[in-house]
Amino acid sequence: MWRQRLIAILALAATVEIVALGIRGLLEDTLITPLLYVIWGAIRIFESIPQGMIWLAFVLAASVVALVSIWGGRRREVRRSTDTALRGRVYEWLRLVTLAQRHEYSRWRMAQRLMLLLAETIAARERIELRIARQRIASGAIDAPQHVAAFLCAGADSYRPRHRTLLQRDEPSPLDVDLEQVIVAVERLVRSQ
C-alpha cells in the first residue's frame, strides 16, 4: 500500500518536473531571449551616438523643464490668488449650508457657527461679555421658536454622533430641523437685537 503511494508521488513529481522544464524552455525562447536582444540592441544604439549629442540633448531637456516650471509656477500663483479671493465669509457660509443639508456633523457645525454669530451680536448690542451671551442662548432664554433654540443649544454642546442600530428607532435630534426656518429665525434675532 505505501509502495503504491510512493510510486504515485514519484510519478507526479516526475511529471511536474518535465512540465516545468518544458515551460522554462518555452519562456526562455519566447520571452527572455527576445527581451535580452532588445536591451542589447538599445545599448548598442545608445553607445553609437556621440557623447556630445547626448550631453546636448540632456541640457536641452533640462532647459525645457526649467522654463516650464518657471512659467507654470506663475500660472499657479495667479490661480491661487483668484481662488483665495473667492473664498471669503460668504463662500464659507454657503459651503456650510450646502454641507449641512447632507451631513449631521455639518448641521452641528452650522448650529455652532450660528450660535456664535448670535452671541457676538447680543454681546455687542447689550455690551455684555460673550460668555454671558452664550450662556443666555444655551439656556434657551432667547425670543425664538423652541426648535430653533434647541438647534442653537446643540451648537453649544460638543458633537455626539448618533449610533443607529437595526432594532432601535431613530431618536429625534435637535439638529433635525428645517435649516431655512433656523436661518430666518436667527436673521430676525440678529436684526431685532
Side-chain angles (χ1 to χ4, degrees), residues 114-130:
L114 286 172
M115 193 270 303
L116 184 61
L117 174 71
L118 185 59
E120 288 173 348
T121 304
I122 292 172
R125 288 202 177 143
E126 296 181 12
R127 296 190 183 352
I128 58 175
E129 292 182 29
L130 183 62

Side-chain angles (χ1 to χ4, degrees), residues 89-103 105-114 179:
R89 285 185 178 176
V90 174
Y91 175 81
E92 291 301 321
W93 277 101
L94 178 63
R95 182 176 164 271
L96 188 59
V97 168
T98 303
L99 290 173
Q101 293 171 353
R102 291 185 264 163
H103 307 290
Y105 176 76
S106 297
R107 283 192 296 275
W108 174 77
R109 288 285 298 145
M110 186 166 180
Q112 190 180 40
R113 296 277 302 269
L114 286 172
L179 295 176

